[in-house]
Amino acid sequence: MKFFSCSNRSAGQALLEFALVVPVFFLLLFGAVDGGRAIFAFNQMSQASRNVARVASVTCFQTTTRCDATTPGTPIANAIAAQSTGIQGPVTWTVTCVDPATDTVAAPCAVGDLVRVQASCRFSLLYVDVARAFGPVNVESTTEAQILQ
């Protein structure tokens, strides 16, 4: 009694075609997953930098060192700590006060200046072959907000 209707030759051909198509399929599948994760990470970074810039724009004059993001307990440092919790890796934050007329760093912050918040994070890809080829991806976001008070 014969269980298979196809010959061994056609079964081998189907196996070869499957072996040729599967790596391309997985490359596209994991590429789409990694692309979605990268877009999600960028969206997280953008939202986090916007939130920190908003806090910095209204609290830069409430701290002894204006726009201080490094001293624990300051409103900006607290906002950075709160925004860093859900992000997919360690984040590097830079908060500077910028004169909008000259686009240079302003030593004492003044009303009307801009607070520039830069956040960057290293994002690791899931697909091993693509990660080996490209390495970790840097996800960065910069937000500016005007100092209001």
Side-chain angles (χ1 to χ4, degrees):
M1 181 178 222
K2 194 172 186 181
F3 289 107
F4 299 106
S5 63
C6 59
S7 67
N8 287 338
R9 184 177 178 139
S10 68
Q13 178 185 357
L15 186 63
L16 178 65
E17 290 173 355
F18 180 75
L20 291 174
V21 170
V22 164
V24 175
F25 172 73
F26 280 127
L27 180 67
L28 292 173
L29 177 69
F30 287 124
V33 169
D34 275 340
R37 288 180 62 236
I39 290 170
F40 181 71
F42 176 73
N43 191 25
Q44 278 184 316
M45 294 296 292
S46 297
Q47 185 65 30
S49 66
R50 277 193 298 271
N51 288 340
V52 171
R54 181 187 52 80
V55 169
S57 70
V58 296
T59 61
C60 270
F61 290 105
Q62 294 178 0
T63 58
T64 55
T65 305
R66 293 181 177 169
C67 293
D68 183 19
T70 58
T71 305
T74 61
I76 300 169
N78 291 341
I80 287 173
Q83 294 301 314
S84 296
T85 55
I87 297 179
Q88 300 179 10
V91 183
T92 304
W93 294 91
T94 306
V95 179
T96 54
C97 192
V98 178
D99 182 9
T102 60
D103 198 33
T104 58
V105 176
C109 296
V111 174
D113 286 350
L114 298 176
V115 174
R116 183 176 292 158
V117 177
Q118 296 172 324
S120 64
C121 175
R122 298 199 112 202
F123 174 76
S124 298
L125 301 172
L126 290 177
Y127 193 55
V128 177
D129 294 330
V130 176
R132 200 175 301 137
F134 293 109
V137 178
N138 287 332
V139 179
E140 299 177 353
S141 177
T142 301
T143 302
E144 293 181 343
Q146 189 174 20
I147 296 175
L148 303 174
Q149 37 174 309

